[in-house]
Amino acid sequence: MQIAQQQQGDFLVLTLEGELDAVTTPTFEAICDKLLEAGTRYVVLDLAGVSFISSAGLRSILILAKKLRPVQGELRFARMQAVVTEVFVLCGFDALFSTFPDVASAIVR
Amino acid sequence: MQHFECMSTIENISRLEKDVLTLAEKFGATDKTSRHVLLVLEEILTNIRLHAYKKEPGLIEISASLCDADIHLLHLEITDWGPPFNPLVDSAAPDLESDIDDRPVGGLGIHIVRNLTHALSYVRLDAAHADALAPLSGGNRLCLSIPLG
């Protein structure tokens, strides 16, 4: 799992590359915790490069979203592949989060 | 019937998933149903790695066969030799409707498995079922079928 960071307007865009599963989520969670400590509030996850997500990946996303709530932050998604969308819908995550076809529309507040 | 087995390390599990996936494709799995096979394996095998064999890696066994009914089904029997754990009963119930604050983070793995499989069942194996390689304390076996068509 590779994670690139880029500030775009109010949002920090995290571009994920690889699989979001039980093996890779500890790295993802550690990076997110650091960003939250540093004051990040608005996050877009660019998932164009994520080809697989398991319940461990969903869990880490939900944990991040829960941590952003008390600081009035927001978590959005861009460029989600159909394989990830399928798991999102199966687990009712599509109702929790806003998803966008591209990063440009995801960073508009 | 094809038999696979390995110790529950991350590397071995990744290889085991690929081996079963190759078999599923040979049995006619599509891109979509291959993904379902991988997802089900990932959920169950991760659970075994992290919970059944918390302290040190242990033996995972998989028997795989094709059920040629109206639709092709990949039938899997997945066995570990850890402490008793029935994921169908002992897992947290998934909550798919609460908002972010109230939604519990657990129970999604078994929810995914239930939704992508047919005829999911659990049996606790006593020592009499154990083969020569396995410890005598007994094991857990999940039996399930995944549509391939």
Side-chain angles (χ1 to χ4, degrees):
Chain A
M1 164 68 61
Q2 290 190 326
I3 303 173
Q5 307 173 19
Q6 194 187 23
Q7 190 70 37
Q8 293 196 38
D10 290 338
F11 282 85
L12 183 71
V13 179
L14 296 182
T15 306
L16 277 54
E17 194 87 39
E19 302 183 338
L20 202 48
D21 58 21
V23 175
T24 58
T25 47
T27 308
F28 173 68
E29 287 180 11
I31 288 173
C32 291
D33 283 347
K34 270 197 191 140
L35 294 172
L36 282 168
E37 271 173 37
T40 298
R41 298 290 174 264
Y42 303 103
V43 179
V44 171
L45 294 185
D46 177 356
L47 299 186
V50 173
S51 53
F52 181 81
I53 190 167
S54 71
S55 67
L58 293 181
R59 193 164 48 244
S60 66
I61 284 169
L62 185 55
I63 288 169
L64 172 60
K66 282 176 181 285
K67 287 177 178 170
L68 286 170
R69 293 282 278 195
V71 294
Q72 282 81 49
E74 191 181 352
L75 176 60
R76 295 178 174 182
F77 293 85
R79 302 203 296 164
M80 197 181 279
Q81 290 192 32
V83 295
V84 175
T85 303
E86 184 186 12
V87 182
F88 252 58
V89 171
L90 181 59
C91 292
F93 272 44
D94 53 328
L96 288 183
F97 299 106
S98 302
T99 58
F100 298 85
D102 50 62
V103 173
S105 49
I107 61 171
V108 177
R109 287 191 69 196
Chain B
M1 173 90 70
Q2 216 154 318
H3 191 79
F4 306 88
E5 62 182 47
C6 71
M7 298 300 279
S8 60
T9 63
I10 288 172
E11 297 75 21
N12 286 345
I13 285 175
S14 170
R15 196 161 44 233
L16 181 62
E17 288 173 350
K18 284 198 187 88
D19 289 346
V20 176
L21 214 52
T22 301
L23 182 69
E25 281 161 5
K26 210 189 294 175
F27 286 161
T30 62
D31 285 354
K32 183 171 183 162
T33 57
S34 287
R35 279 203 313 275
H36 293 170
V37 172
L38 180 60
L39 198 48
V40 167
L41 284 173
E42 172 68 16
E43 297 297 345
I44 293 172
L45 300 182
T46 294
N47 204 45
I48 291 173
R49 175 172 70 81
L50 296 178
H51 300 294
Y53 299 129
K54 227 180 269 184
K55 290 186 185 142
E56 54 182 341
L59 184 67
I60 299 173
E61 298 174 64
I62 298 182
S63 293
S65 57
L66 180 68
C67 296
D68 219 352
D70 293 343
I71 49 168
H72 277 18
L73 292 172
L74 177 68
H75 181 71
L76 298 176
E77 293 185 8
I78 304 175
T79 306
D80 70 72
W81 301 96
F85 180 75
N86 178 354
L88 307 183
V89 176
D90 302 332
S91 298
D95 174 347
L96 307 181
E97 286 175 5
S98 300
D99 67 13
I100 289 170
D101 286 332
D102 296 328
R103 197 175 292 209
V105 295
L108 292 174
I110 190 64
H111 171 73
I112 289 172
V113 171
R114 274 185 202 278
N115 273 274
L116 299 180
T117 58
H118 282 190
L120 179 63
S121 65
Y122 167 87
V123 59
R124 177 68 191 172
L125 303 177
D126 58 28
H129 285 84
D131 63 28
L133 279 172
L136 292 176
S137 51
N140 302 294
R141 178 170 292 161
L142 277 177
C143 301
L144 54 94
S145 299
I146 308 173
L148 297 181

